């Protein structure tokens, strides 16, 4: 069983920044493919950002140029630096992991293909 723990959410004003962190632990102790999703009230969960196995990054169109996804020095850690936050970014942000994925187009991926999910961290952006 794998546990994902997100942190770093909070409330900021429009134009502000936040940095989300996600750490995966559990068994088997292998490298997992990890990604960020978000879900706003009344909306479907959507992909935000991911790092593919070849090192390339994938971003949703709505966050390109504002968000940066990165991996930590420790295996199975993932970060999301969010700059120029807007009220439309308000959502619960989730970290997801999978043991077999190598690459996704995060803006088109079906969230249900990911095996493991964190509890989420709330991001609220006020105007």
């Amino acid at each position: 069983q794998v546990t994902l723990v997100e942190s770093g959410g909070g409330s900021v004003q429009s134009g502000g920044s936040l940095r989300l962190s996600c750490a995966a632990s559990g068994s088997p102790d292998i490298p997992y493919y990890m990604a960020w999703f978000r879900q706003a009230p009344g909306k479907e969960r959507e992909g935000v950002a991911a790092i593919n196995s070849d090192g390339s990054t994938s971003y949703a169109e709505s966050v390109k140029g504002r968000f940066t996804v990165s991996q930590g020095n420790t295996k199975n850690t993932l970060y999301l630096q969010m700059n120029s936050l807007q009220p439309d970014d308000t959502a619960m942000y989730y970290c997801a992991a999978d043991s077999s994925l190598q690459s996704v187009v995060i803006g088109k991926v079906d969230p249900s293909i990911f095996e493991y999910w964190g509890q989420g961290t709330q991001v609220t952006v006020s105007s």
Side-chain angles (χ1 to χ4, degrees):
Q1 186 64 27
V2 175
T3 300
L4 302 176
V5 178
E6 304 101 332
S7 62
S11 297
V12 296
Q13 291 189 327
S14 181
S17 297
L18 286 171
R19 186 178 189 236
L20 305 184
S21 301
C22 175
S25 61
S27 178
D29 185 20
I30 61 174
Y32 289 91
Y33 183 87
M34 298 172 70
W36 288 102
F37 288 79
R38 68 185 181 184
Q39 188 167 16
K43 294 187 177 181
E44 294 185 351
R45 191 166 297 190
E46 63 176 0
V48 175
I51 298 179
N52 296 319
S53 60
D54 63 358
S56 63
T57 53
S58 181
Y59 294 97
E61 286 295 324
S62 60
V63 307
K64 281 183 179 179
R66 300 187 298 123
F67 291 10
T68 303
V69 62
S70 61
Q71 293 175 318
N73 293 327
T74 305
K75 182 177 60 180
N76 293 331
T77 57
L78 194 70
Y79 301 102
L80 185 67
Q81 178 67 42
M82 305 185 295
N83 298 329
S84 302
L85 283 162
Q86 301 299 318
D88 284 349
D89 296 317
T90 295
M92 186 71 79
Y93 282 71
Y94 296 92
C95 179
D98 191 271
S99 60
S100 60
L101 289 173
Q102 299 292 316
S103 176
V104 301
V105 177
I106 196 64
K108 297 181 179 180
V109 68
D110 179 352
S112 67
I113 69 174
F114 281 79
E115 295 176 280
Y116 305 105
W117 291 87
Q119 293 297 308
T121 185
Q122 178 68 38
V123 172
T124 302
V125 185
S126 58
S127 58

